[in-house]
Amino acid sequence: MTDIQFFDGHNDAVQFLAEYRSPGRDFLVRSDTGHLDLPRAIEGGMIGGLFALMAKPEHAPEGNVIKTDDGYEVIYPESFPLSAARPQIGRQLSALRAVVERSTAKMRFATTVDEIITARSQGQFSVVLHMEGAEAVDAEFEYLHTLYQAGLRSLGPVWSRPNIFGHGVQFAFPRSPNIGPGLTPLGKELVKVCNNLGIMVDLAHMNEKGFWDVASLSSTPLVATHACAHAISQSTRNLTDRQLDAIRDTDGVIGFNLAVYDIRADAHLDANTSLDTVVRTRCSLRTLTTRRCSVSKTAAGMKMPIRGMRTLTAS
């Protein structure tokens, strides 16, 4: 195992668990496919991470990426109904619980920083529950309280689609993140409920209006679990210098997103992106946010840099 240890700000491993889907992968067994499994994580120095629960359509949309003269845009998806989202989240949570139980104490759920520190000292891998998009949450927040009791400690109110809480940012390049409305009145109430419960509000996948809505309401440090600098790559998913400064000013955290289309100035889907490009992007985030920049492996099936990144990302 490497001497450098880290906590992963975001991963989508739950989507690929054998306990959740068929065919799936055994998280406890080394694999030559996918970004993450327990043996490779431990060898890479990963002590735990935010494991994302996310509801989505059974089949990925086709023909939804439009090439433009200088980039691309993804057709903005429709909202995903609660009636379909909640059963998926329940199955994902059950699958992750089964993996942790089957790990024979190599893994454990954590709900506090102290629990993560204790797990690290005992050689255990920490799993912190995150949910990306609040489609499974009802307007009365009853299911949010249920998930909190189950261990949820981080929530992204939106993914890159609309829901009753707000409007996620549309994927596009090159374009400003200042597109579309932000949080709905119910979304603003959600931020307050999360603050009261002790659930971190994730700014990833929010458009700029939603970002500032959260910034004006939240009583806690601002966090974007997986994002990069818009000044380097003009993706709508990336944060402007002003947004980065706002995170810094609240003593917040940015999880560095390793998706190549968010770290390259040309947004090309090139897995042979050099480590120099990765380092320059991370240094930019570090400069703008002064202290806190974490690692996020992020999106399922995305292209990540491969040159020089095997050990760094535990991939």
Side-chain angles (χ1 to χ4, degrees):
M1 187 176 79
T2 179
D3 291 335
I4 300 174
Q5 296 184 321
F6 68 95
F7 186 87
D8 182 18
H10 179 95
N11 71 73
D12 293 321
V14 177
Q15 297 291 329
F16 298 95
L17 296 180
E19 287 86 348
Y20 176 63
R21 61 183 289 182
S22 180
R25 296 195 290 266
D26 188 341
F27 187 78
L28 305 181
V29 176
R30 172 184 292 277
S31 174
D32 292 329
T33 60
H35 296 161
L36 186 64
D37 54 56
L38 185 62
R40 288 184 293 166
I42 292 173
E43 289 178 13
M46 183 172 161
I47 64 167
L50 295 177
F51 280 67
L53 310 176
M54 180 189 172
K56 60 183 181 180
E58 183 178 351
H59 301 290
E62 297 181 0
N64 65 326
V65 180
I66 300 172
K67 290 186 177 181
T68 61
D69 290 340
D70 54 356
Y72 67 86
E73 69 175 44
V74 177
I75 297 173
Y76 198 51
E78 297 179 353
S79 58
F80 194 66
L82 182 150
S83 59
R86 190 172 293 183
Q88 284 191 27
I89 295 301
R91 292 197 303 271
Q92 290 171 22
L93 179 55
S94 295
L96 190 53
R97 283 172 168 166
V99 172
V100 172
E101 183 176 355
R102 196 163 52 83
S103 76
T104 60
K106 293 184 181 70
M107 301 170 65
R108 62 164 291 177
F109 286 104
T111 58
T112 67
V113 173
D114 286 344
E115 288 180 358
I116 295 172
I117 293 172
T118 298
R120 180 186 182 185
S121 69
Q122 296 176 351
Q124 292 178 300
F125 184 90
S126 293
V127 174
V128 177
L129 285 181
H130 168 77
M131 189 163 68
E132 188 170 30
E135 282 79 5
V137 177
D138 53 278
E140 292 73 36
F141 308 114
E142 292 180 1
Y143 193 59
L144 181 66
H145 284 81
T146 298
L147 289 172
Y148 176 81
Q149 293 299 322
L152 185 76
R153 291 299 182 270
S154 175
L155 172 68
V158 294
W159 186 68
S160 290
R161 63 189 175 206
N163 62 28
I164 63 173
F165 302 107
H167 299 262
V169 69
Q170 179 185 13
F171 291 104
F173 175 95
R175 197 178 299 177
S176 166
N178 188 19
I179 51 175
L183 297 182
T184 64
L186 197 59
K188 294 176 181 179
E189 185 64 26
L190 175 64
V191 173
K192 297 175 184 178
V193 173
C194 285
N195 280 176
N196 290 336
L197 285 173
I199 296 175
M200 184 179 79
V201 177
D202 181 14
L203 295 163
H205 288 280
M206 284 193 183
N207 58 29
E208 189 169 0
K209 179 66 166 60
F211 178 101
W212 294 116
D213 286 339
V214 174
S216 68
L217 291 166
S218 182
S219 59
T220 62
L222 299 177
V223 177
T225 62
H226 51 302
C228 288
H230 192 268
I232 290 178
S233 179
Q234 296 179 36
S235 162
T236 54
R237 275 276 289 110
N238 288 340
L239 302 173
T240 66
D241 288 359
R242 183 167 170 250
Q243 289 174 295
L244 294 171
D245 288 345
I247 293 173
R248 175 200 62 200
D249 292 345
T250 65
D251 202 23
V253 178
I254 296 173
F256 173 36
N257 183 4
L258 289 171
V260 292
Y261 47 75
D262 283 339
I263 62 177
R264 292 178 60 100
D266 57 13
H268 286 177
L269 291 172
D270 184 1
N272 287 310
T273 298
S274 70
L275 186 58
D276 288 344
T277 301
V278 176
V279 171
R280 281 198 300 272
T281 305
R282 190 177 189 280
C283 286
S284 174
L285 290 174
R286 186 74 180 234
T287 299
L288 287 164
T289 59
T290 67
R291 285 185 291 175
R292 299 208 163 120
C293 181
S294 66
V295 174
S296 293
K297 294 179 67 58
T298 193
M302 71 169 194
K303 290 187 184 295
M304 287 171 35
I306 60 173
R307 292 168 56 190
M309 292 294 289
R310 290 292 181 191
T311 302
L312 177 64
T313 64
S315 301

Short mmCIF file of all heavy atoms in Angstrom, two decimals, residues 89-142:
data_model
loop_
_atom_site.label_atom_id
_atom_site.label_comp_id
_atom_site.label_asym_id
_atom_site.label_seq_id
_atom_site.Cartn_x
_atom_site.Cartn_y
_atom_site.Cartn_z
N ILE A 89 -33.12 3.34 -5.07
CA ILE A 89 -32.27 3.75 -3.94
C ILE A 89 -32.31 2.69 -2.84
O ILE A 89 -31.28 2.35 -2.25
CB ILE A 89 -32.73 5.12 -3.39
CG1 ILE A 89 -32.54 6.22 -4.43
CG2 ILE A 89 -31.97 5.46 -2.11
CD1 ILE A 89 -31.12 6.41 -4.93
N GLY A 90 -33.48 2.13 -2.59
CA GLY A 90 -33.60 1.08 -1.58
C GLY A 90 -32.77 -0.15 -1.94
O GLY A 90 -32.09 -0.73 -1.08
N ARG A 91 -32.81 -0.54 -3.21
CA ARG A 91 -32.03 -1.71 -3.64
C ARG A 91 -30.53 -1.43 -3.59
O ARG A 91 -29.74 -2.31 -3.22
CB ARG A 91 -32.44 -2.13 -5.05
CG ARG A 91 -33.85 -2.69 -5.15
CD ARG A 91 -34.07 -3.46 -6.44
NE ARG A 91 -33.81 -2.64 -7.62
CZ ARG A 91 -34.72 -1.88 -8.23
NH1 ARG A 91 -35.97 -1.80 -7.73
NH2 ARG A 91 -34.42 -1.20 -9.31
N GLN A 92 -30.13 -0.23 -3.94
CA GLN A 92 -28.72 0.12 -3.89
C GLN A 92 -28.21 0.12 -2.45
O GLN A 92 -27.11 -0.37 -2.17
CB GLN A 92 -28.49 1.48 -4.53
CG GLN A 92 -28.68 1.49 -6.04
CD GLN A 92 -28.66 2.88 -6.63
OE1 GLN A 92 -28.13 3.82 -6.04
NE2 GLN A 92 -29.25 3.03 -7.82
N LEU A 93 -28.99 0.65 -1.55
CA LEU A 93 -28.60 0.66 -0.15
C LEU A 93 -28.49 -0.76 0.39
O LEU A 93 -27.52 -1.10 1.11
CB LEU A 93 -29.61 1.47 0.67
CG LEU A 93 -29.36 1.57 2.18
CD1 LEU A 93 -27.98 2.11 2.48
CD2 LEU A 93 -30.43 2.43 2.84
N SER A 94 -29.43 -1.61 0.05
CA SER A 94 -29.38 -3.00 0.49
C SER A 94 -28.14 -3.71 -0.08
O SER A 94 -27.49 -4.50 0.61
CB SER A 94 -30.64 -3.75 0.04
OG SER A 94 -31.79 -3.22 0.68
N ALA A 95 -27.82 -3.43 -1.34
CA ALA A 95 -26.65 -4.05 -1.97
C ALA A 95 -25.37 -3.63 -1.27
O ALA A 95 -24.48 -4.46 -1.01
CB ALA A 95 -26.60 -3.67 -3.45
N LEU A 96 -25.26 -2.34 -0.96
CA LEU A 96 -24.05 -1.85 -0.30
C LEU A 96 -23.93 -2.42 1.12
O LEU A 96 -22.83 -2.79 1.56
CB LEU A 96 -24.08 -0.32 -0.26
CG LEU A 96 -22.79 0.38 0.20
CD1 LEU A 96 -21.58 -0.08 -0.61
CD2 LEU A 96 -22.96 1.90 0.09
N ARG A 97 -25.03 -2.54 1.80
CA ARG A 97 -25.01 -3.16 3.12
C ARG A 97 -24.54 -4.60 3.04
O ARG A 97 -23.76 -5.06 3.90
CB ARG A 97 -26.41 -3.11 3.74
CG ARG A 97 -26.81 -1.76 4.31
CD ARG A 97 -28.26 -1.76 4.71
NE ARG A 97 -28.63 -0.60 5.50
CZ ARG A 97 -29.88 -0.23 5.75
NH1 ARG A 97 -30.89 -0.95 5.24
NH2 ARG A 97 -30.14 0.84 6.47
N ALA A 98 -24.98 -5.32 2.01
CA ALA A 98 -24.58 -6.72 1.84
C ALA A 98 -23.07 -6.83 1.61
O ALA A 98 -22.42 -7.74 2.13
CB ALA A 98 -25.34 -7.34 0.68
N VAL A 99 -22.51 -5.90 0.85
CA VAL A 99 -21.06 -5.92 0.60
C VAL A 99 -20.29 -5.66 1.89
O VAL A 99 -19.31 -6.36 2.19
CB VAL A 99 -20.69 -4.87 -0.47
CG1 VAL A 99 -19.17 -4.74 -0.58
CG2 VAL A 99 -21.28 -5.25 -1.82
N VAL A 100 -20.73 -4.66 2.64
CA VAL A 100 -20.03 -4.34 3.90
C VAL A 100 -20.10 -5.53 4.86
O VAL A 100 -19.10 -5.88 5.50
CB VAL A 100 -20.65 -3.08 4.54
CG1 VAL A 100 -20.08 -2.86 5.94
CG2 VAL A 100 -20.40 -1.86 3.66
N GLU A 101 -21.25 -6.17 4.95
CA GLU A 101 -21.39 -7.33 5.82
C GLU A 101 -20.50 -8.48 5.35
O GLU A 101 -19.86 -9.16 6.15
CB GLU A 101 -22.84 -7.78 5.88
CG GLU A 101 -23.08 -8.95 6.82
CD GLU A 101 -24.55 -9.32 6.93
OE1 GLU A 101 -25.39 -8.59 6.35
OE2 GLU A 101 -24.86 -10.33 7.59
N ARG A 102 -20.43 -8.68 4.06
CA ARG A 102 -19.65 -9.77 3.49
C ARG A 102 -18.15 -9.52 3.59
O ARG A 102 -17.34 -10.44 3.45
CB ARG A 102 -20.07 -9.97 2.03
CG ARG A 102 -19.65 -11.27 1.39
CD ARG A 102 -20.46 -11.55 0.12
NE ARG A 102 -20.46 -10.45 -0.82
CZ ARG A 102 -19.49 -10.20 -1.71
NH1 ARG A 102 -18.43 -11.00 -1.76
NH2 ARG A 102 -19.58 -9.19 -2.55
N SER A 103 -17.76 -8.28 3.84
CA SER A 103 -16.33 -7.95 3.90
C SER A 103 -15.65 -8.45 5.17
O SER A 103 -14.43 -8.33 5.30
CB SER A 103 -16.15 -6.43 3.81
OG SER A 103 -16.49 -5.79 5.04
N THR A 104 -16.43 -9.01 6.09
CA THR A 104 -15.90 -9.51 7.38
C THR A 104 -15.03 -8.46 8.07
O THR A 104 -13.85 -8.70 8.37
CB THR A 104 -15.11 -10.83 7.19
OG1 THR A 104 -14.01 -10.60 6.30
CG2 THR A 104 -16.01 -11.92 6.63
N ALA A 105 -15.61 -7.29 8.27
CA ALA A 105 -15.01 -6.18 9.03
C ALA A 105 -13.87 -5.48 8.31
O ALA A 105 -13.21 -4.63 8.90
CB ALA A 105 -14.55 -6.65 10.40
N LYS A 106 -13.64 -5.79 7.03
CA LYS A 106 -12.66 -5.01 6.27
C LYS A 106 -13.24 -3.64 5.92
O LYS A 106 -12.51 -2.69 5.69
CB LYS A 106 -12.26 -5.74 4.99
CG LYS A 106 -11.48 -7.02 5.20
CD LYS A 106 -11.05 -7.60 3.85
CE LYS A 106 -10.28 -8.90 4.04
NZ LYS A 106 -11.16 -9.99 4.52
N MET A 107 -14.57 -3.57 5.85
CA MET A 107 -15.28 -2.33 5.56
C MET A 107 -16.26 -2.03 6.69
O MET A 107 -16.72 -2.93 7.37
CB MET A 107 -16.05 -2.44 4.23
CG MET A 107 -15.21 -2.75 3.02
SD MET A 107 -16.22 -3.14 1.55
CE MET A 107 -17.05 -1.56 1.27
N ARG A 108 -16.57 -0.75 6.83
CA ARG A 108 -17.59 -0.36 7.81
C ARG A 108 -18.24 0.94 7.35
O ARG A 108 -17.65 1.75 6.65
CB ARG A 108 -16.99 -0.17 9.19
CG ARG A 108 -15.94 0.93 9.30
CD ARG A 108 -15.67 1.34 10.73
NE ARG A 108 -16.81 2.04 11.31
CZ ARG A 108 -16.86 2.46 12.58
NH1 ARG A 108 -15.85 2.19 13.41
NH2 ARG A 108 -17.90 3.11 13.04
N PHE A 109 -19.50 1.12 7.74
CA PHE A 109 -20.17 2.38 7.50
C PHE A 109 -19.70 3.41 8.53
O PHE A 109 -19.43 3.07 9.69
CB PHE A 109 -21.68 2.23 7.60
CG PHE A 109 -22.29 1.52 6.42
CD1 PHE A 109 -22.70 0.20 6.52
CD2 PHE A 109 -22.46 2.17 5.20
CE1 PHE A 109 -23.27 -0.46 5.45
CE2 PHE A 109 -23.02 1.52 4.12
CZ PHE A 109 -23.43 0.20 4.24
N ALA A 110 -19.60 4.66 8.11
CA ALA A 110 -19.20 5.73 9.01
C ALA A 110 -20.16 6.90 8.84
O ALA A 110 -20.59 7.21 7.72
CB ALA A 110 -17.77 6.18 8.71
N THR A 111 -20.50 7.53 9.94
CA THR A 111 -21.41 8.68 9.89
C THR A 111 -20.79 9.93 10.50
O THR A 111 -21.40 10.99 10.47
CB THR A 111 -22.72 8.36 10.63
OG1 THR A 111 -22.43 8.02 11.98
CG2 THR A 111 -23.47 7.21 9.96
N THR A 112 -19.58 9.81 11.05
CA THR A 112 -18.88 10.95 11.64
C THR A 112 -17.41 10.89 11.28
O THR A 112 -16.88 9.84 10.91
CB THR A 112 -19.00 10.97 13.18
OG1 THR A 112 -18.27 9.85 13.72
CG2 THR A 112 -20.45 10.92 13.63
N VAL A 113 -16.74 12.03 11.41
CA VAL A 113 -15.29 12.07 11.17
C VAL A 113 -14.58 11.17 12.17
O VAL A 113 -13.63 10.46 11.81
CB VAL A 113 -14.78 13.51 11.28
CG1 VAL A 113 -13.25 13.54 11.21
CG2 VAL A 113 -15.36 14.38 10.17
N ASP A 114 -15.02 11.17 13.40
CA ASP A 114 -14.39 10.32 14.42
C ASP A 114 -14.46 8.84 14.03
O ASP A 114 -13.51 8.09 14.26
CB ASP A 114 -15.05 10.53 15.78
CG ASP A 114 -14.65 11.86 16.42
OD1 ASP A 114 -13.66 12.45 15.96
OD2 ASP A 114 -15.34 12.29 17.36
N GLU A 115 -15.57 8.44 13.45
CA GLU A 115 -15.71 7.04 13.04
C GLU A 115 -14.76 6.72 11.89
O GLU A 115 -14.22 5.61 11.80
CB GLU A 115 -17.16 6.75 12.65
CG GLU A 115 -18.10 6.70 13.85
CD GLU A 115 -19.53 6.41 13.45
OE1 GLU A 115 -19.81 6.29 12.22
OE2 GLU A 115 -20.40 6.31 14.34
N ILE A 116 -14.56 7.66 10.98
CA ILE A 116 -13.60 7.46 9.89
C ILE A 116 -12.18 7.34 10.45
O ILE A 116 -11.41 6.46 10.04
CB ILE A 116 -13.68 8.62 8.88
CG1 ILE A 116 -15.04 8.64 8.20
CG2 ILE A 116 -12.56 8.50 7.84
CD1 ILE A 116 -15.28 9.86 7.33
N ILE A 117 -11.85 8.19 11.40
CA ILE A 117 -10.51 8.15 12.01
C ILE A 117 -10.29 6.83 12.75
O ILE A 117 -9.24 6.21 12.66
CB ILE A 117 -10.32 9.36 12.96
CG1 ILE A 117 -10.30 10.66 12.14
CG2 ILE A 117 -9.04 9.21 13.77
CD1 ILE A 117 -10.32 11.91 12.99
N THR A 118 -11.32 6.40 13.48
CA THR A 118 -11.22 5.13 14.20
C THR A 118 -11.06 3.97 13.22
O THR A 118 -10.22 3.08 13.42
CB THR A 118 -12.48 4.91 15.07
OG1 THR A 118 -12.56 5.94 16.04
CG2 THR A 118 -12.41 3.55 15.77
N ALA A 119 -11.84 3.97 12.16
CA ALA A 119 -11.74 2.91 11.16
C ALA A 119 -10.35 2.88 10.55
O ALA A 119 -9.75 1.80 10.38
CB ALA A 119 -12.79 3.12 10.07
N ARG A 120 -9.81 4.03 10.26
CA ARG A 120 -8.47 4.11 9.69
C ARG A 120 -7.44 3.51 10.63
O ARG A 120 -6.55 2.76 10.21
CB ARG A 120 -8.14 5.57 9.37
CG ARG A 120 -6.75 5.78 8.78
CD ARG A 120 -6.47 7.26 8.63
NE ARG A 120 -5.18 7.51 8.03
CZ ARG A 120 -4.66 8.72 7.88
NH1 ARG A 120 -5.33 9.79 8.30
NH2 ARG A 120 -3.48 8.89 7.32
N SER A 121 -7.56 3.83 11.90
CA SER A 121 -6.59 3.32 12.88
C SER A 121 -6.69 1.81 13.04
O SER A 121 -5.72 1.15 13.43
CB SER A 121 -6.80 4.00 14.24
OG SER A 121 -8.03 3.58 14.83
N GLN A 122 -7.86 1.26 12.72
CA GLN A 122 -8.07 -0.19 12.84
C GLN A 122 -7.94 -0.92 11.51
O GLN A 122 -8.24 -2.11 11.42
CB GLN A 122 -9.46 -0.44 13.45
CG GLN A 122 -9.59 0.09 14.87
CD GLN A 122 -10.99 -0.06 15.43
OE1 GLN A 122 -11.93 -0.43 14.71
NE2 GLN A 122 -11.16 0.23 16.71
N GLY A 123 -7.50 -0.19 10.48
CA GLY A 123 -7.31 -0.80 9.18
C GLY A 123 -8.59 -1.13 8.45
O GLY A 123 -8.61 -2.00 7.58
N GLN A 124 -9.67 -0.42 8.78
CA GLN A 124 -10.95 -0.65 8.11
C GLN A 124 -11.23 0.44 7.08
O GLN A 124 -10.84 1.60 7.26
CB GLN A 124 -12.10 -0.67 9.13
CG GLN A 124 -12.07 -1.85 10.08
CD GLN A 124 -13.20 -1.76 11.08
OE1 GLN A 124 -13.30 -0.81 11.86
NE2 GLN A 124 -14.09 -2.75 11.06
N PHE A 125 -11.91 0.07 6.03
CA PHE A 125 -12.27 0.96 4.93
C PHE A 125 -13.64 1.58 5.23
O PHE A 125 -14.61 0.86 5.45
CB PHE A 125 -12.30 0.15 3.64
CG PHE A 125 -12.56 0.94 2.39
CD1 PHE A 125 -11.53 1.49 1.67
CD2 PHE A 125 -13.87 1.11 1.93
CE1 PHE A 125 -11.76 2.20 0.50
CE2 PHE A 125 -14.12 1.82 0.77
CZ PHE A 125 -13.06 2.37 0.05
N SER A 126 -13.72 2.91 5.23
CA SER A 126 -14.95 3.60 5.60
C SER A 126 -15.85 3.87 4.41
O SER A 126 -15.41 4.35 3.36
CB SER A 126 -14.63 4.95 6.27
OG SER A 126 -14.00 4.75 7.51
N VAL A 127 -17.13 3.57 4.59
CA VAL A 127 -18.16 3.86 3.58
C VAL A 127 -19.09 4.92 4.16
O VAL A 127 -19.75 4.69 5.18
CB VAL A 127 -18.95 2.59 3.23
CG1 VAL A 127 -20.11 2.93 2.29
CG2 VAL A 127 -18.04 1.55 2.60
N VAL A 128 -19.13 6.09 3.51
CA VAL A 128 -20.05 7.14 3.90
C VAL A 128 -21.12 7.25 2.82
O VAL A 128 -20.81 7.35 1.63
CB VAL A 128 -19.33 8.49 4.07
CG1 VAL A 128 -20.32 9.60 4.41
CG2 VAL A 128 -18.25 8.38 5.16
N LEU A 129 -22.37 7.23 3.23
CA LEU A 129 -23.48 7.25 2.27
C LEU A 129 -23.73 8.66 1.72
O LEU A 129 -23.87 9.62 2.47
CB LEU A 129 -24.75 6.74 2.93
CG LEU A 129 -24.88 5.24 3.18
CD1 LEU A 129 -26.21 4.93 3.83
CD2 LEU A 129 -24.72 4.45 1.88
N HIS A 130 -23.78 8.72 0.40
CA HIS A 130 -24.09 9.95 -0.32
C HIS A 130 -25.24 9.63 -1.29
O HIS A 130 -25.37 8.48 -1.73
CB HIS A 130 -22.86 10.42 -1.11
CG HIS A 130 -23.14 11.51 -2.10
ND1 HIS A 130 -23.32 12.82 -1.72
CD2 HIS A 130 -23.26 11.49 -3.45
CE1 HIS A 130 -23.53 13.56 -2.81
NE2 HIS A 130 -23.50 12.78 -3.86
N MET A 131 -26.06 10.60 -1.61
CA MET A 131 -27.07 10.40 -2.65
C MET A 131 -26.97 11.53 -3.66
O MET A 131 -26.98 12.72 -3.31
CB MET A 131 -28.49 10.33 -2.07
CG MET A 131 -29.52 9.91 -3.12
SD MET A 131 -31.07 9.34 -2.42
CE MET A 131 -31.72 10.86 -1.72
N GLU A 132 -26.88 11.16 -4.93
CA GLU A 132 -26.70 12.12 -6.01
C GLU A 132 -28.03 12.33 -6.70
O GLU A 132 -28.51 11.49 -7.47
CB GLU A 132 -25.66 11.59 -6.99
CG GLU A 132 -25.25 12.60 -8.05
CD GLU A 132 -24.04 12.13 -8.84
OE1 GLU A 132 -23.87 10.90 -9.00
OE2 GLU A 132 -23.29 12.98 -9.31
N GLY A 133 -28.66 13.48 -6.40
CA GLY A 133 -30.01 13.75 -6.88
C GLY A 133 -31.03 13.29 -5.86
O GLY A 133 -30.99 12.15 -5.40
N ALA A 134 -31.96 14.18 -5.52
CA ALA A 134 -32.92 13.89 -4.45
C ALA A 134 -34.27 13.43 -4.99
O ALA A 134 -35.31 13.65 -4.36
CB ALA A 134 -33.10 15.12 -3.56
N GLU A 135 -34.27 12.76 -6.13
CA GLU A 135 -35.53 12.32 -6.75
C GLU A 135 -36.34 11.38 -5.85
O GLU A 135 -37.56 11.31 -5.97
CB GLU A 135 -35.24 11.63 -8.09
CG GLU A 135 -34.96 12.58 -9.23
CD GLU A 135 -33.54 13.13 -9.21
OE1 GLU A 135 -32.74 12.70 -8.35
OE2 GLU A 135 -33.23 14.01 -10.03
N ALA A 136 -35.67 10.64 -4.97
CA ALA A 136 -36.36 9.69 -4.11
C ALA A 136 -36.99 10.36 -2.88
O ALA A 136 -37.75 9.73 -2.14
CB ALA A 136 -35.40 8.59 -3.66
N VAL A 137 -36.68 11.62 -2.66
CA VAL A 137 -37.14 12.33 -1.47
C VAL A 137 -38.49 13.00 -1.74
O VAL A 137 -38.69 13.63 -2.78
CB VAL A 137 -36.10 13.38 -1.03
CG1 VAL A 137 -36.61 14.19 0.16
CG2 VAL A 137 -34.77 12.71 -0.69
N ASP A 138 -39.40 12.86 -0.81
CA ASP A 138 -40.74 13.45 -0.93
C ASP A 138 -40.75 14.89 -0.45
O ASP A 138 -39.82 15.35 0.21
CB ASP A 138 -41.74 12.62 -0.13
CG ASP A 138 -41.29 12.43 1.31
OD1 ASP A 138 -40.46 11.52 1.56
OD2 ASP A 138 -41.74 13.20 2.18
N ALA A 139 -41.83 15.59 -0.76
CA ALA A 139 -41.94 17.00 -0.41
C ALA A 139 -42.05 17.25 1.08
O ALA A 139 -41.84 18.37 1.55
CB ALA A 139 -43.15 17.60 -1.14
N GLU A 140 -42.39 16.20 1.83
CA GLU A 140 -42.47 16.33 3.30
C GLU A 140 -41.17 15.92 3.98
O GLU A 140 -41.07 15.99 5.21
CB GLU A 140 -43.62 15.48 3.83
CG GLU A 140 -45.01 15.96 3.43
CD GLU A 140 -45.32 15.69 1.95
OE1 GLU A 140 -44.88 14.63 1.43
OE2 GLU A 140 -45.97 16.55 1.33
N PHE A 141 -40.20 15.46 3.23
CA PHE A 141 -38.86 15.06 3.71
C PHE A 141 -38.87 13.84 4.62
O PHE A 141 -37.89 13.58 5.32
CB PHE A 141 -38.17 16.23 4.43
CG PHE A 141 -38.14 17.50 3.64
CD1 PHE A 141 -38.84 18.61 4.06
CD2 PHE A 141 -37.41 17.57 2.46
CE1 PHE A 141 -38.82 19.79 3.32
CE2 PHE A 141 -37.39 18.74 1.70
CZ PHE A 141 -38.09 19.86 2.13
N GLU A 142 -39.96 13.07 4.58
CA GLU A 142 -40.01 11.89 5.44
C GLU A 142 -38.95 10.86 5.04
O GLU A 142 -38.28 10.27 5.90
CB GLU A 142 -41.41 11.26 5.38
CG GLU A 142 -42.49 12.11 6.02
CD GLU A 142 -43.86 11.45 5.94
OE1 GLU A 142 -43.95 10.32 5.40
OE2 GLU A 142 -44.84 12.06 6.41
#
